[in-house]
Amino acid sequence: MNFALLGWPEDGPRLRLDYRRFSYAGKFVTAKTGKAVLRDDAPLPPLDDERPPPTGGPDSLPPLAEDVVAAVAFNEDQTDPTTLWFRYVTVRRDRRGEGLGPELLRRTADAAASRGYETVRIATNNSFAYEACHKAGFEFTGRETGMAELVLERPATEPATVSRETYQAGLDRYRGRANDDREQSFLAAREGTDPPAMDGQ
């Protein structure tokens, strides 16, 4: 798996992902955020999707990135220049569950530390993303965004030290919101457990 930092926000990198394979694909075309990816040269599997393929689009769009398996978009905090926010994280649908999201977040945090950032933050809107962020060394801050997303953070240079109480406090917020059987089962299985170990550790 190859990590690539495509550029920082001021570089204006653009990334074109297939919307049939990635959530949030349209968020990566904008040049307003920095971007990093994991690439894999394995051939793409066929799609079981009735929607038409993405069109070529204007000449100004980059070509469709067919080797990307995970991507993150990020920008500097507007009030704290020592903090970098991870805004959108996406993993190709056929590669979910392989630990690619946590790996990408860890590698991007390392790049942020090399650039002088002290803290990286992310807001999650579901318990599955919350769990993945813990596997990348993030910890729940106790805060939420105005969109009821939980805010997690970690030092850029190293994983956060997470207690069971802090981890469970975030899961408790999701327990009050879980709206499907899959998420309810996921949350029930984690009742009273310790935070997950970091992937790759």
Side-chain angles (χ1 to χ4, degrees):
M1 202 62 49
N2 299 317
F3 171 78
L5 179 73
L6 302 183
W8 297 98
E10 65 271 18
D11 301 324
R14 300 175 78 193
L15 177 65
R16 191 161 156 246
L17 300 172
D18 186 337
Y19 65 85
R20 299 169 303 166
R21 297 181 188 273
F22 291 93
S23 300
Y24 309 116
K27 302 293 185 183
F28 289 85
V29 177
T30 177
K32 295 180 181 179
T33 57
K35 292 168 190 72
V37 298
L38 289 178
R39 291 185 166 129
D40 187 355
D41 294 331
L44 284 170
L47 280 170
D48 229 4
D49 195 324
E50 299 287 326
R51 295 178 289 177
T55 60
D59 290 338
S60 62
L61 283 179
L64 202 60
E66 296 190 352
D67 60 346
V68 170
V69 292
V72 59
F74 48 85
N75 63 275
E76 192 171 280
D77 187 277
Q78 293 179 355
T79 60
D80 180 1
T82 68
T83 298
L84 191 71
W85 276 93
F86 294 161
R87 294 297 179 187
Y88 298 98
V89 182
T90 188
V91 174
R92 205 172 73 194
R93 286 186 175 90
D94 65 302
R95 300 295 297 270
R96 291 177 184 168
E98 296 180 25
L100 299 176
E103 180 181 348
L104 177 60
L105 294 178
R106 279 194 313 277
R107 289 187 177 200
T108 308
D110 290 345
S114 297
R115 195 162 205 247
Y117 289 103
E118 296 172 10
T119 305
V120 286
R121 286 192 184 122
I122 189 167
T124 63
N125 62 9
N126 66 75
S127 58
F128 306 110
Y130 179 84
E131 182 89 353
C133 288
H134 276 83
K135 291 178 180 179
F138 284 80
E139 176 182 30
F140 178 43
T141 63
R143 298 189 316 271
E144 293 188 30
T145 69
M147 300 178 69
E149 297 170 317
L150 304 192
V151 178
L152 292 89
E153 70 180 31
R154 61 167 277 179
T157 56
E158 62 189 10
T161 303
V162 183
S163 70
R164 177 188 292 190
E165 293 75 24
T166 303
Y167 170 67
Q168 288 295 327
L171 291 178
D172 286 344
R173 303 240 184 137
Y174 288 116
R175 286 186 180 101
R177 307 174 190 166
N179 57 8
D180 65 36
D181 292 342
R182 183 171 166 252
E183 187 168 20
Q184 288 174 11
S185 296
F186 179 84
L187 290 165
R190 281 151 184 80
E191 184 79 45
T193 64
D194 287 330
M198 276 186 57
D199 279 359
Q201 301 298 308

